Amino acid sequence: MKENRAFTIEGAVPEDAEELVAIYDYYVQNTAITFEYETPTAAEFRRRIENTLGRFPYLVLRQDGRIRGYAYAGPFRTRAAYDWCCETSIYLRRGATKCGMGRALYQALEKALGQMGILNMYAVVACPEEKEDESLTSNSLDFHRHLGFEQAGLYHRCGYKFGRWYNVACMEKIIGTHSRVQKPQSRPLSLSASQWGAAPRDAVSGAGENIRGYNTMNDEYFMKKAIALAAAAVAHGNEPFGAVLVK
């Protein structure tokens, strides 16, 4: 029986790049879960984190002081009409699968995306053309199905890696209500250490089903709004931007 140790889910910062790229490296070098051929450098991975944080949440899961996994969202397509959709990704450190961490990360990501007005989540999942092999199984498809995703489409033989062709499934989950007059999507509020320093981040951290802020915002209006909302939340005991603590 596995020991059930507590872990936290919080917003990633660019300084997490080295740990995250170390997790990602296994998938690049040994699997067809990602179609990248070469592992990016830590500097390149840091740039990717910063780009994501400009618009979407990027979450990390920590246990015993180490990052065990990460999940983030990105644009589904770049045209304006797609603004209420996003594409999601998740990677777990080897040995951190099938123990609830992936589910906790994805549920936290879904909650964050729902709060910013996202309605449709999409995951582009590589899958074997005919049968599983040493580089790719159906585990990712099963994981998304267990979390409520449905297959919306299948691209045939569109990825080539390790001398094999792979299919790609488009998995979809609707998490919001589509209205005739749709409210604009908002950005996740930022309380990242690099932007805000220790005091504001500590002021709104806590346990429960809450999520720490995700994003670095340079706009003064949004910075002031985030501070005001965080202060109001603390005053009312809600702490909506705290870290998730899971046991």
Side-chain angles (χ1 to χ4, degrees):
M1 184 175 178
K2 292 185 178 180
E3 181 183 359
N4 186 15
R5 303 195 306 275
F7 53 81
T8 61
I9 297 173
E10 60 190 47
V13 293
E15 289 76 16
D16 293 326
E18 287 194 15
E19 275 196 88
L20 300 191
V21 78
I23 294 172
Y24 186 56
D25 175 68
Y26 170 78
Y27 294 94
V28 175
Q29 301 300 326
N30 300 282
T31 80
I33 290 173
T34 172
F35 283 171
E36 282 202 87
Y37 284 5
E38 302 293 334
T39 304
T41 64
E44 165 61 17
F45 213 86
R46 180 188 179 105
R47 185 191 66 79
R48 295 182 186 184
I49 295 171
E50 291 171 341
N51 286 345
T52 298
L53 290 176
R55 181 176 173 186
F56 291 100
Y58 203 129
L59 306 182
V60 296
L61 184 149
R62 295 183 188 273
Q63 184 183 61
D64 300 330
R66 297 182 68 199
I67 295 177
R68 302 291 181 178
Y70 62 96
Y72 62 92
F76 176 64
R77 294 288 187 272
T78 58
R79 304 299 189 198
Y82 290 109
D83 276 357
W84 293 268
C85 305
C86 73
E87 183 178 328
T88 59
S89 298
I90 182 170
Y91 292 93
L92 298 175
R93 190 180 296 276
R94 290 191 70 191
T97 58
K98 298 184 179 180
C99 58
M101 293 184 181
R103 175 180 289 273
L105 257 177
Y106 237 38
Q107 287 176 339
L109 182 64
E110 179 180 329
K111 182 174 181 179
L113 292 169
Q115 288 175 341
M116 63 181 286
I118 292 293
L119 305 178
N120 297 27
M121 292 172 61
Y122 292 97
V124 178
V125 181
C127 51
E129 183 182 17
E130 295 180 353
K131 61 181 180 179
E132 297 181 350
D133 58 52
E134 67 274 14
S135 301
L136 190 64
T137 68
S138 60
N139 288 348
S140 292
L141 279 175
D142 294 339
F143 170 76
H144 284 85
R145 289 190 181 111
H146 289 158
L147 291 179
F149 283 78
E150 297 180 355
Q151 186 170 315
L154 182 67
Y155 304 104
H156 298 278
R157 309 189 78 190
C158 62
Y160 182 79
K161 191 174 182 180
F162 303 137
R164 299 184 183 92
W165 285 102
Y166 292 102
N167 295 340
V168 169
C170 179
M171 306 298 288
E172 177 187 62
K173 184 175 183 180
I174 307 300
I175 63 171
T177 302
H178 297 77
S179 302
R180 185 172 179 84
V181 179
Q182 194 66 49
K183 293 182 179 179
Q185 180 211 118
S186 63
R187 296 183 182 181
L189 296 177
S190 170
L191 296 171
S192 65
S194 61
Q195 178 77 19
W196 299 85
R201 187 162 186 165
D202 291 344
V204 294
S205 64
E209 297 180 353
N210 301 319
I211 304 170
R212 181 174 294 171
Y214 312 107
N215 198 354
T216 298
M217 307 276 283
N218 295 320
D219 188 281
E220 183 179 359
Y221 167 78
F222 282 103
M223 290 171 66
K224 290 180 178 179
K225 183 177 180 181
I227 292 174
L229 288 173
V234 172
H236 288 84
N238 294 325
E239 302 179 329
F241 307 113
V244 177
L245 178 63
V246 185
K247 294 185 177 179

